[in-house]
Amino acid sequence: MTHAEAAARETAPRLKLSTKDGLLGALLIAPTVLIFCAVIVYPLVSAIYLSLFSIYTPTLKGSWVGLDNYAALLASGEFWNAFWVNVVWTVGTLVLQVVLGVALALLLHQNIVFRSLARSLILFPYFMSTVVAVLVWRWVFNDLYGILNHAMMWMGLMSMPLDWIGSMPNAMISVILVGAWKYFPFVVISVLARLQTIPDHLYEAATMDGAGWWGRFTDITLPQLREVLFIVILLRAIWDFKEFDLIYLLTGGGPVTATQTLPLLVYKQAFALNEMGGASAVAVLMMLFMLGFMLLYFRYGRATES
Amino acid sequence: MRRFGLSRILFNLLAWAIVLVVSFPLLWTIVTSLKPQTELFLIPPSLLPGEVTFEHYRKLLLETRFLTYFSNSVVVSVATTVLVVAVAVLGAHSLVRFAYPGRERLAQLVLFTYLLPSVVLIIPLYLLLVRMGIANTLLSLVVAYTTFALPFAVWLLRSFMAGIPQDLEAAAMVDGASRMGAFFDVILPQALPGIISTAVFTFILAWNEYLFALVLVNQDSSRTLTTGVITMLVTSFHIEWSMLMAASVMMSVPVIVVFAFLQKHLTRGFGAGAVKG
């Protein structure tokens, strides 16, 4: 992003090619625009429109209810519960992702043996299917045969196996943990790329001034990482907030609704409670919550690109 | 640390211990998939299989619908990738090299849709696909996957293609090439590494997709791996752990292959805020 865009901006003043052939340019973007309109813009507009109806999923018959869906949601405990669960999940998993991500990026930046194998092992969770990641963790968490309970009992951390998924607060902790494990590699790779560009002489100067490793980390590394961390945190906040697969597959939103986030509530309303209008309203409200983060990313994410 | 052999060794040991703890679930999947069924329920669990068996893999491949799901996943992911990359290469080229009204707005729209949650689109898309009569088909999944894959591919390719020097294209045109001629002869070869990375990331996104597959397909013959494996092996009464772990390993094979193939490009694509979470 940074390199490519910077190069483009530099040449921008003497942009000779692009002043001609505007029609050809429009023709080339036409397929993209058509597909966008058909599968994104139209559904987006109709989601807002649908949220004003009460629609029974099996028959798809609906009647106009205006803003009633929204009024009902804003007055309902389940909606606000989902909202707060969503916030707890997002903040919890994001903090872990960033701490774990920065720590492992620093580790993988060192010259350890078989470094590329270590990097592959660390990065792989990000590329594997969420389905696989969750299945594996459910096996690790298994209350009777799971390795986690046995390992913890063997180390003397507890005397009885724990129910990691079916009770609170364990379920929330498990979801946050698995989310952190699945998505922290994104932080690792972004930070790693940035670490490689910090000039060595900064560290040498600090060492000569008598700074220890912690001093070097807080005085040089962290300030240098500030921008990339800001962007990474924004992006991950947006992506974690809308996460469906991981939570749905791990706990299904349970026990009861203790880990039911907004995306899960949309799914439940539309396809289990057969209330598509209400579900659309949840989705639209969720998008409004996310809009703040998106606008921030629009402003600062693209600004730092150039 | 650099001077003393011993502290270097200790540091390496510590580093690798951390790496192994973090990647333990990956290794545990493989170990579990190779254990005989009886060994699975030993208390305490054995860290290495006492006896290695490929029975679960054999059963999965020969006695279940695993291969149907696998080929469905291949068809959907390849179709999505080809469609999306072809459209996105043209679109991205247009966004970085041409001037027309609304170009900046379009770029912003791409970014916005790239961040848009799928759950917002899923209900209208479901209704649309039912009305078109293609619900429950692989085609419906390709259509649905375009909603996240196209913004992603355009956005990523745009940053790759902006890095190609304009002088090359200008030189080709001085030599008499047309605008499109220069695109095919100069831009495409230059953009190839970016196009390959984009294609691989798009493939992985489609391969791993779960929500659309869950909602749009309700018929066993069109299920993909992500939903198929779960409906097949997980019921409320019983979970086939051995087969599930074997299926997990096999589902990851295509991802491992492209991952290994792409190692050196990874940093670049990732740096672009590339892979969707």
Side-chain angles (χ1 to χ4, degrees):
Chain A
M1 157 156 88
T2 36
H3 260 317
E5 301 259 333
R9 299 281 148 102
E10 271 163 32
T11 53
R14 48 191 186 87
L15 203 95
K16 286 160 287 180
L17 289 171
S18 60
T19 49
K20 292 183 294 181
D21 303 326
L23 190 65
L24 181 60
L27 207 64
L28 289 177
I29 195 88
T32 308
V33 172
L34 281 178
I35 294 179
F36 261 69
C37 288
V39 301
I40 303 174
V41 178
Y42 166 74
L44 187 60
V45 173
S46 78
I48 298 169
Y49 182 65
L50 287 170
S51 71
L52 305 174
F53 285 81
S54 167
I55 302 163
Y56 183 58
T57 308
T59 58
L60 300 181
K61 291 256 178 345
S63 59
W64 173 266
V65 294
L67 292 174
D68 286 4
N69 284 331
Y70 291 96
L73 279 178
L74 294 176
S76 93
E78 193 173 21
F79 175 79
W80 288 112
N81 173 61
F83 173 77
W84 286 114
V85 167
N86 215 340
V87 171
V88 171
W89 139 259
T90 306
V91 172
T93 198
L94 188 58
V95 168
L96 268 182
Q97 283 167 27
V98 171
V99 171
L100 204 61
V102 171
L104 275 154
L106 289 172
L107 186 76
L108 292 175
H109 189 56
Q110 304 298 317
N111 210 356
I112 63 171
V113 286
F114 301 119
R115 184 162 67 170
S116 69
L117 178 65
R119 283 191 183 174
S120 302
L121 280 172
I122 291 296
L123 298 187
F124 193 70
Y126 194 70
F127 293 90
M128 73 200 294
S129 153
T130 307
V131 172
V132 172
V134 169
L135 288 176
V136 171
W137 275 99
R138 276 174 65 172
W139 176 233
V140 169
F141 283 143
N142 189 288
D143 40 4
L144 284 180
Y145 310 107
I147 187 92
L148 185 63
N149 275 333
H150 285 286
M152 289 181 80
M153 277 154 63
W154 182 77
M155 287 189 284
L157 293 174
M158 53 194 205
S159 53
M160 288 285 292
L162 272 181
D163 181 1
W164 286 98
I165 290 166
S167 69
M168 280 299 275
N170 303 7
M172 181 55 93
I173 294 171
S174 303
V175 171
I176 287 175
L177 263 177
V178 176
W181 181 80
K182 175 84 172 72
Y183 296 121
F184 87 94
F186 181 79
V187 183
V188 173
I189 198 90
S190 311
V191 170
L192 207 48
R194 184 68 183 83
L195 282 177
Q196 284 158 1
T197 64
I198 301 179
D200 279 338
H201 67 80
L202 289 181
Y203 289 107
E204 282 155 17
T207 313
M208 265 191 275
D209 290 347
W213 68 270
W214 180 250
R216 289 197 298 268
F217 175 69
T218 51
D219 292 344
I220 300 171
T221 314
L222 267 189
Q224 291 275 336
L225 290 180
R226 225 174 59 113
E227 270 184 9
V228 71
L229 280 180
F230 181 70
I231 299 300
V232 162
I233 288 171
L234 262 183
L235 272 175
R236 286 261 36 111
I238 292 170
W239 287 331
D240 291 337
F241 196 83
K242 67 179 189 179
E243 178 66 41
F244 173 84
D245 305 3
L246 193 138
I247 304 172
Y248 179 78
L249 287 161
L250 194 59
T251 64
V256 197
T257 58
T259 55
Q260 179 176 274
T261 56
L262 292 168
L264 270 78
L265 183 61
V266 174
Y267 178 79
K268 181 170 136 188
Q269 287 230 348
F271 302 101
L273 303 179
N274 289 326
E275 220 326 286
M276 281 201 162
S280 300
V282 177
V284 170
L285 284 177
M286 184 186 139
M287 197 172 60
L288 287 180
F289 292 139
M290 290 175 63
L291 220 51
F293 282 98
M294 291 192 193
L295 290 176
L296 264 181
Y297 182 73
F298 263 55
R299 238 180 107 178
Y300 297 103
R302 295 198 64 197
T304 46
E305 265 176 34
S306 53
Chain B
M1 211 186 309
R2 245 164 245 154
R3 264 167 291 160
F4 299 105
L6 184 65
S7 60
R8 230 180 125 68
I9 293 172
L10 283 178
F11 177 74
N12 267 296
L13 281 177
L14 178 71
W16 265 96
I18 295 172
V19 170
L20 286 179
V21 167
V22 174
S23 53
F24 175 77
L26 303 176
L27 310 171
W28 192 234
T29 316
I30 301 173
V31 169
T32 307
S33 74
L34 296 174
K35 284 180 183 176
Q37 185 89 37
T38 47
E39 207 183 317
L40 216 55
F41 303 113
L42 278 186
I43 293 178
S46 55
L47 271 183
L48 285 171
E51 176 194 338
V52 171
T53 173
F54 289 94
E55 173 64 16
H56 313 304
Y57 290 89
R58 194 194 60 81
K59 241 164 97 182
L60 205 56
L61 289 174
L62 299 180
E63 293 168 23
T64 70
R65 308 196 61 143
F66 185 82
L67 282 177
T68 312
Y69 303 144
F70 197 94
S71 70
N72 286 344
S73 271
V74 171
V75 169
V76 172
S77 308
V78 170
T80 307
T81 306
V82 171
L83 172 75
V84 159
V85 171
V87 171
V89 166
L90 298 179
H93 180 57
S94 167
L95 284 178
V96 295
R97 283 294 205 278
F98 289 87
Y100 44 86
R103 190 182 70 153
E104 277 305 302
R105 283 265 163 273
L106 266 176
Q108 281 176 348
L109 176 73
V110 172
L111 181 58
F112 172 72
T113 52
Y114 172 43
L115 301 174
L116 196 69
S118 290
V119 282
V120 176
L121 301 179
I122 196 151
I123 295 167
L125 267 178
Y126 172 80
L127 296 175
L128 181 74
L129 293 166
V130 166
R131 221 179 314 137
M132 286 166 69
I134 57 169
N136 279 330
T137 63
L138 296 183
L139 178 64
S140 72
L141 290 181
V142 176
V143 172
Y145 290 5
T146 312
T147 60
F148 60 82
L150 187 60
F152 164 77
V154 174
W155 194 246
L156 186 52
L157 275 169
R158 183 175 164 272
S159 74
F160 274 121
M161 293 174 87
I164 301 171
Q166 295 214 344
D167 302 351
L168 287 172
E169 197 185 358
M173 285 170 64
V174 169
D175 289 347
S178 68
R179 201 70 206 263
M180 286 315 281
F183 171 69
F184 284 111
D185 293 341
V186 178
I187 303 285
L188 272 191
Q190 287 279 321
L192 199 62
I195 295 174
I196 294 175
S197 311
T198 308
V200 167
F201 287 133
T202 308
F203 179 88
I204 293 179
L205 283 184
W207 183 263
N208 291 342
E209 207 284 335
Y210 178 73
L211 176 60
F212 284 122
L214 174 71
V215 169
L216 297 176
V217 170
N218 210 351
Q219 179 183 309
D220 216 30
S221 60
S222 336
R223 282 217 172 90
T224 59
L225 275 175
T226 49
T227 50
V229 163
I230 294 212
T231 31
M232 178 168 79
L233 300 172
V234 180
T235 66
S236 21
F237 307 105
H238 183 66
I239 299 181
E240 283 280 351
W241 287 112
S242 316
M243 294 238 274
L244 217 43
M245 292 302 115
S248 295
V249 173
M250 282 199 281
M251 269 172 87
S252 304
V253 166
V255 181
I256 295 171
V257 170
V258 289
F259 185 75
F261 171 70
L262 220 95
Q263 259 262 317
K264 58 173 187 278
H265 295 293
L266 277 181
T267 327
R268 185 66 219 280
F270 249 143
V275 176
K276 221 169 117 132

